[in-house]
Amino acid sequence: MCLEKRYLDVLSDDTDPQVSCYITAPSYVLQQLECRIINNMSSLIVGDNEELVSNVVTIECSDKEKRIPFPIGIAIPFTARYRGNYRDIMVKVCDTNLQSSYLNPNSLEGMKGGYKGTCASVKVYKLGIFSVVSCLKKESFTVTKKGLTLKSSMDSRISLSYPPGVFTSPVLVQLKIQPVDPALMAHLKAQQDTFYSVQSTSPVIHIQHPSTYPFQKPVTVFLPFSPYLDKNNLGSEIDHKRRASATINRITSSYFSRTKSASVRKPGKNASECLKLLGFRSQDSGWCELDDVVVKTIQSGLISVELNEHLQRFIVLHLSSTMDNSHLVTFVKSLEEAMLSTTACIVLSHQKDNPHRIAVLVVPSKDLSQVLKNLRLEGFGGPPEPSCHFQVREGEQLLLRFTGNIFASSNGKDYGKDYTLIFHLQRKPRLELQIKEVDESGNYSCPHYKGTIVVYKVPKGKIVPNLNQSLVTNENHSQLPICKLPLKLPKHKKLINRPQSTQRVSKDPVEALWDNLLHWLAEELSEENAESLSSTLPLHRSTIQLIKLKNPDDLTEQIHEFLCFWKKSLPTFTDKLRLLARHLRKIGRSDLAEELKFKWENKVFTEPQQWFDVAAE
């Protein structure tokens, strides 16, 4: 009799246990199985065009001699934020040598025991390392000697026509479709002038044929194609897809009845415009332009390509003018790299109640506003600003090195280590650390302790596979850091215990009046007034940031403190009242300037001050 067991694991010392997986097997087998979360191996698990959507878990049997009655059922919780017609959810299985295979989940359950979420359930015949990934959807079909005409289920505008006799025996073919984001095109053209002639592209088509069966006849592929990359095309893409889909059957059936001398329609009015096919034959030969292949425009938004050889993947480019072959290949390589990368930045945020606790996140640029909003709701905020934006690939490791007079710890005990963040687009990578000063006497000339987080990319070649931890070889980083983030901590207030007879008590009514007036002014100024005033006063930006860090939720106290700091920085003989009134008028608050002058001249206190009580004692 098979039973289902829930396995829990903890990711770090200060987090609650979470479900790693559910296993369905005989009870005596469940007692021997061990399941652990090993997310630090995720860099070596994900491949190109894959996105991790679950924890990485390893399942082992404590008794190596125990014979397990396979298959057993495994269900792994996952969360996929981005779906689509071209992507699929698969369970990836790796052995200890990281050789991988894929299983199609037999169910994506919405509930599993007490877990509210989605699980990918599979039957497995061996133990190993399991994860759930979002990858390009694969469509498989068999081409017999009679040929085959197939319309893709992922995109009905894409079809393949294998004529009779193309293969000498039945052949299994696998198809993947990878759409090209027009925003990537615009980004690449803005970066490189030589790419200006590229107007638009087809999707990237991945086709896997057995290399032992060469084509005996040309294979025709029909592809959707937007003639120009503009807002009108982007907006009408849905309607265009519907129209192209409705006519695809008519076009494919009549295509071979046309004569060989059929005229090639130009994609635009310009006679210099052309369509170019680029193909990827193998890892050794890479991308190349195929000049001998004819690309025809069948109708607006639909083209055909006749292939005479196996290509692992190919793409069609629409050019407004001729381009050098080397520039075409460079463009496609850059496009492919951009499709595997995400523009992201590092966000560093201090806990408002405890500046010594920080959260460090790798955030896709398009999600930055929402992430900052969520951090504020969690009680995090303050400087510094997010880092500069950079390109990062799925599964890439970022090394965080703390330098200067501040170091960090993940458990509040072991300080001085480097830390890694592994980027996964759908996994929200995050570190929460405790920071403190290295030397309490350091930064003596500054009102705060200073440090820097230096961020490096870690090449995959430097990552050593280990089921317990992903080790990074201890080598100096020859490459430049991708970004740096400044760190600041408020200095400790030193308490000096003096005898009662030597305690200093300020009895100066002028200083007490100043303090009272500045506090009153802080209450009257709005946040916008405060920003304007701080920009006109001769205060360093770092001073303002430190004051905000010390009082993140109290605007009045922030304003009062920077006004006091400004007053103390002035020479004793300066007419502070007239100077402050001038700054208030400059920001449009003449009313406060007049009231301030009145209160000063008439010694008006807004509330009783402590110095009165001290003087009366």
Side-chain angles (χ1 to χ4, degrees), residues 249-303:
N249 290 329
R250 175 178 57 80
I251 292 169
T252 52
S253 61
S254 64
Y255 177 77
F256 290 102
S257 64
R258 300 185 181 188
T259 62
K260 295 273 186 178
S261 61
S263 63
V264 179
R265 299 184 188 179
K266 296 294 181 183
K269 297 179 180 178
N270 189 345
S272 64
E273 290 186 7
C274 59
L275 298 172
K276 289 288 186 178
L277 174 70
L278 283 91
F280 187 94
R281 292 191 177 100
S282 65
Q283 292 292 341
D284 294 333
S285 57
W287 285 96
C288 61
E289 185 193 355
L290 304 172
D291 290 320
D292 56 334
V293 177
V294 177
V295 182
K296 295 183 179 181
T297 302
I298 305 301
Q299 68 170 38
S300 177
L302 192 67
I303 59 173

Side-chain angles (χ1 to χ4, degrees), residues 121-350:
S121 301
V122 290
K123 296 287 186 181
V124 301
Y125 290 83
K126 63 178 181 179
L127 303 181
I129 303 170
F130 298 85
S131 58
V132 184
V133 296
S134 170
C135 54
L136 291 178
K137 187 177 290 186
K138 184 187 296 183
E139 194 170 350
S140 300
F141 50 92
T142 302
V143 181
T144 65
K145 289 188 286 186
K146 295 181 180 180
L148 178 70
T149 297
L150 176 83
K151 183 166 64 175
S152 170
S153 61
M154 293 177 274
D155 189 337
S156 57
R157 300 171 297 171
I158 296 176
S159 65
L160 298 94
S161 183
Y162 291 84
V166 65
F167 293 123
T168 55
S169 60
V171 166
L172 178 66
V173 180
Q174 293 180 335
L175 170 69
K176 296 179 183 178
I177 302 170
Q178 188 174 13
V180 177
D181 186 351
L184 284 182
M185 286 272 301
H187 176 70
L188 290 176
K189 291 176 66 175
Q191 281 191 324
Q192 192 77 27
D193 290 341
T194 53
F195 300 157
Y196 179 77
S197 296
V198 182
Q199 295 298 303
S200 58
T201 76
S202 72
V204 180
I205 307 298
H206 302 248
I207 301 184
Q208 186 175 343
H209 296 100
S211 57
T212 52
Y213 291 88
F215 293 170
Q216 304 299 317
K217 295 180 180 179
V219 174
T220 305
V221 183
F222 295 89
L223 299 173
F225 200 86
S226 297
Y228 295 99
L229 181 66
D230 59 23
K231 294 181 179 179
N232 294 330
N233 281 333
L234 297 179
S236 61
E237 179 67 20
I238 295 175
D239 294 334
H240 170 70
K241 178 177 177 179
R242 190 179 294 117
R243 291 195 302 271
S245 172
T247 58
I248 189 70
N249 290 329
R250 175 178 57 80
I251 292 169
T252 52
S253 61
S254 64
Y255 177 77
F256 290 102
S257 64
R258 300 185 181 188
T259 62
K260 295 273 186 178
S261 61
S263 63
V264 179
R265 299 184 188 179
K266 296 294 181 183
K269 297 179 180 178
N270 189 345
S272 64
E273 290 186 7
C274 59
L275 298 172
K276 289 288 186 178
L277 174 70
L278 283 91
F280 187 94
R281 292 191 177 100
S282 65
Q283 292 292 341
D284 294 333
S285 57
W287 285 96
C288 61
E289 185 193 355
L290 304 172
D291 290 320
D292 56 334
V293 177
V294 177
V295 182
K296 295 183 179 181
T297 302
I298 305 301
Q299 68 170 38
S300 177
L302 192 67
I303 59 173
S304 71
V305 179
E306 287 190 356
L307 301 180
N308 298 303
E309 61 177 317
H310 294 293
L311 295 174
Q312 290 186 13
R313 52 190 182 270
F314 60 88
I315 187 173
V316 177
L317 306 183
H318 172 208
L319 307 179
S320 61
S321 59
T322 57
M323 274 180 68
D324 187 78
N325 285 359
S326 61
H327 292 160
L328 288 173
V329 172
T330 301
F331 172 79
V332 174
K333 287 180 178 179
S334 301
L335 179 63
E336 193 171 43
E337 178 63 28
M339 293 170 72
L340 295 174
S341 302
T342 302
T343 303
C345 64
I346 303 287
V347 171
L348 167 63
S349 194
H350 292 257

Side-chain angles (χ1 to χ4, degrees), residues 35-63:
C35 182
R36 293 183 294 118
I37 296 175
I38 52 168
N39 286 342
N40 42 27
M41 285 281 290
S42 63
S43 291
L44 303 172
I45 297 298
V46 291
D48 289 346
N49 294 311
E50 293 179 357
E51 295 171 5
L52 186 69
V53 295
S54 75
N55 288 317
V56 179
V57 298
T58 175
I59 302 176
E60 300 171 311
C61 184
S62 56
D63 185 355

